[in-house]
Amino acid sequence: MSKELFHRLRFAPSPNGYLHLGHAYSALLNGKICADIGAEFLVRMEDIDQTRSRPEYVEAIYEDLKWLGLIWPKPVMHQSDRFPAYKEKLDWLIEQQLVYRAFLSRKEIKAFAQAYQSKTGCDWPCDPDGAPIYPDLCRQLSMAVSDQRATDGEAFTWRLDMAKAISMAGDDLTWTEYDFEFNPSIVKADPAAWGDVIMARKDVPTSYHLSVVVDDAEQDIDLIVRGMDLYQSTSVHRLLQKLFGLPQPFYLHHKLIFDEDGRKLSKSNQDTSLRALRDEQSLTSVEIEKMLGF
Ligand code: GLU
């Protein structure tokens, strides 16, 4: 596929903090590729986290992106407006018995992994993000028991039955990854490495993986340009695209920007926020671009 055949790219921040240099790199790269190949650049607000997302961060993100010189069509899609669309997909997964209610909290999963380690001397397996894989404790619960516990008010998430999902979708999933020269390579997806991933959190009928896949398809995104920190997640995305019968986008995962001590930038570090660089250190957007190597 030639790069001229890509039509639409997106920058999809989560408005739970101010944008930092790493976001600027990703947004500018998306914008520059679009300008280069004549594709459309979209912004999407990934605000499914109702406790951490705040309207003031949404406004700050628009302000920072404008300052960087980016323009995008409005209205912008907000994931918080799309819960019914996600619920429809979740309901399908429930109907197909591809998900089950998982009642262990994050703390309990961690305690389980520690207990396993002390008992056997072996480490409990972790997913590519370093979180312990969900233990096989809830998948076998009967629907009647699971329904009863939910009715009794026990908190739960919906988790994908990974083995079943792979057997339905096939274990030969791949994606096309582009480098900066637009040379393609085929990557074998490995969704099993994630174990039974969350499809819906306890408070909303969706998760990052479910909504990103649904929305990239809804918005006809054909090239996804995002940080390497999401490279491994692409395996889960390919699996969901296949299960839902959605088109397969192409991917380009770019390098991450680290701070002076080699740590990944985080939204809680105010020093590298774009507004601090602009308002306190009086940097211009041109200087930011230069700093980022554009
Ligand atoms: N919302 C995600 C983030 O802020 C990015 C999602 C994506 O690009 O797939 O990290």
Side-chain angles (χ1 to χ4, degrees), residues 43 150 210 232:
V43 173
L210 188 128
Q232 306 279 0

Side-chain angles (χ1 to χ4, degrees), residues 173-214:
L173 290 173
T174 59
W175 78 84
T176 306
E177 178 78 23
Y178 282 91
D179 65 16
F180 275 67
E181 275 77 49
F182 275 91
N183 299 307
S185 56
I186 303 296
V187 182
K188 183 161 175 19
D190 180 19
W194 289 91
D196 292 352
V197 272
I198 296 185
M199 290 292 103
R201 303 180 184 193
K202 38 178 211 288
D203 48 347
V204 288
T206 190
S207 62
Y208 159 62
H209 296 305
L210 188 128
S211 27
V212 84
V213 157
V214 171

